[in-house]
Amino acid sequence: MALNTSDQPIHSIVQGNGPPVILLHGIGASSLGWSALIPDLVAAGYRAYAPDLPGHGESFKPQRPESYHVQNIYQALVDWIQSLALPDLPVLIGHSLGGYLSLQYSLDYPERLRALVLVNPFYTPGQLFPIVRWLRGRADAGSRALERISAPLLERASEWNPTVSKQLSREFRRQMAADLFRASPLILNILPSISDLTPRLAEVATQAGVIWGSRDLTLSPASFPALIERLPNSVGYHIPGGRHQPHMSRPEMVNAYILTFLGSLGKP
């Protein structure tokens, strides 16, 4: 079921002036996950656009599971980008699912894109750790479980997990819990619909920077150097000890890498 963004517009944060940079979050997150990066982009002279993908944040939340097929989410994003009528080609910065959508956009519309920045990107189901792979095959059960979990419980769970609490500030842990709580439980239906982009990676002509944490517990860290090898025009930035959200846990390092990469592109 296609998603009509003209009737139900995508919510977004827009700040700054200059060349456009579009920030795409992952499953269960929101535009607020980029709160550490947006001020640095604005200070560096860029205009940041951070949407809440359908089913997330303050954007519309379809009630049918089939609406959450990744191709519907992707088409809604394409329509939204088109509606911006940007004067210059944008850079797409995507984390996890946002990386998948960015790669797909680069394959379909290379002429509409200046560059890619991929942060712990999801590009093949083969990256998933066993527990996430198990959840991918049980989206209905996972959705029902999400319906029963409160935001305070999600926040307490992140505090009980030392791998999360040590990496992320209390502010970001609270934000992650709030984002997951306000997302539609049906977002888990995105996972089973994601296909393997590996066979097409050699077709990605767009210049790309890949930032990755070496201790990601959601996506296999070994998959990121493999991605860099397959992309024809890419450079890698390693975050030692970084988990799945290095833009939240190591924002100073990630922001510096992103600004260095953007600076290497020259003027639009």
Side-chain angles (χ1 to χ4, degrees):
M1 176 178 292
L3 305 179
N4 191 334
T5 56
S6 60
D7 293 338
Q8 304 177 89
I10 287 178
H11 171 267
S12 63
I13 296 171
V14 182
Q15 293 183 17
N17 294 289
V21 177
I22 297 174
L23 311 171
L24 304 178
H25 64 76
I27 293 177
S30 81
S31 56
L32 296 178
W34 299 108
S35 59
L37 175 59
I38 290 174
D40 284 1
L41 288 174
V42 172
Y46 296 94
R47 184 168 175 83
Y49 298 81
D52 290 332
L53 295 172
H56 296 77
E58 296 184 35
S59 285
F60 65 102
K61 298 174 175 65
Q63 299 302 307
R64 295 177 178 270
E66 58 268 26
S67 296
Y68 290 89
H69 191 287
V70 72
Q71 285 305 310
N72 290 326
I73 303 296
Y74 171 68
Q75 190 56 55
L77 172 66
V78 171
D79 294 343
W80 175 78
I81 294 175
Q82 186 71 13
S83 74
L84 298 177
L86 298 173
D88 299 304
L89 297 178
V91 174
L92 292 188
I93 299 180
H95 168 249
S96 196
L97 171 66
Y100 180 94
L101 299 173
S102 298
L103 284 165
Q104 187 65 63
Y105 192 89
S106 177
L107 287 166
D108 292 343
Y109 306 105
E111 73 285 354
R112 301 184 191 176
L113 193 57
R114 187 178 179 209
L116 296 172
V117 178
L118 308 171
V119 182
N120 286 51
F122 187 14
Y123 66 92
T124 172
Q127 292 175 275
L128 295 171
F129 272 88
I131 184 63
V132 188
R133 194 176 302 130
W134 180 88
L135 181 62
R136 180 175 183 261
R138 295 162 179 82
D140 290 345
S143 295
R144 289 194 296 272
L146 275 183
E147 288 177 343
R148 294 169 170 79
I149 299 178
S150 67
L153 180 59
L154 287 169
E155 185 180 349
R156 287 197 296 272
S158 71
E159 292 172 351
W160 295 333
N161 186 339
T163 64
V164 175
S165 60
K166 288 181 181 179
Q167 287 267 324
L168 293 170
S169 68
R170 182 177 179 83
E171 177 185 359
F172 272 130
R173 293 199 306 272
R174 184 171 293 168
Q175 183 61 59
M176 287 175 61
D179 283 341
L180 188 56
F181 178 70
R182 64 185 178 144
S184 167
L186 296 175
I187 59 171
L188 292 181
N189 288 279
I190 297 172
L191 280 171
S193 66
I194 287 179
S195 60
D196 186 0
L197 294 181
T198 305
R200 299 197 62 194
L201 293 177
E203 302 172 34
V204 178
T206 308
Q207 190 170 346
V210 181
I211 300 172
W212 58 283
S214 62
R215 300 191 67 187
D216 191 330
L217 298 178
T218 301
L219 304 174
S220 169
S223 68
F224 304 125
L227 171 66
I228 294 165
E229 288 182 5
R230 288 183 170 91
L231 292 175
N233 191 14
S234 67
V235 59
Y237 301 95
H238 175 213
I239 308 293
R243 304 283 181 172
H244 186 57
Q245 299 96 353
H247 59 300
M248 299 172 75
S249 62
R250 304 284 182 83
E252 298 85 359
M253 185 177 292
V254 170
N255 293 4
Y257 282 154
I258 289 174
L259 292 176
T260 296
F261 176 78
L262 294 179
S264 73
L265 301 175
K267 294 184 178 181

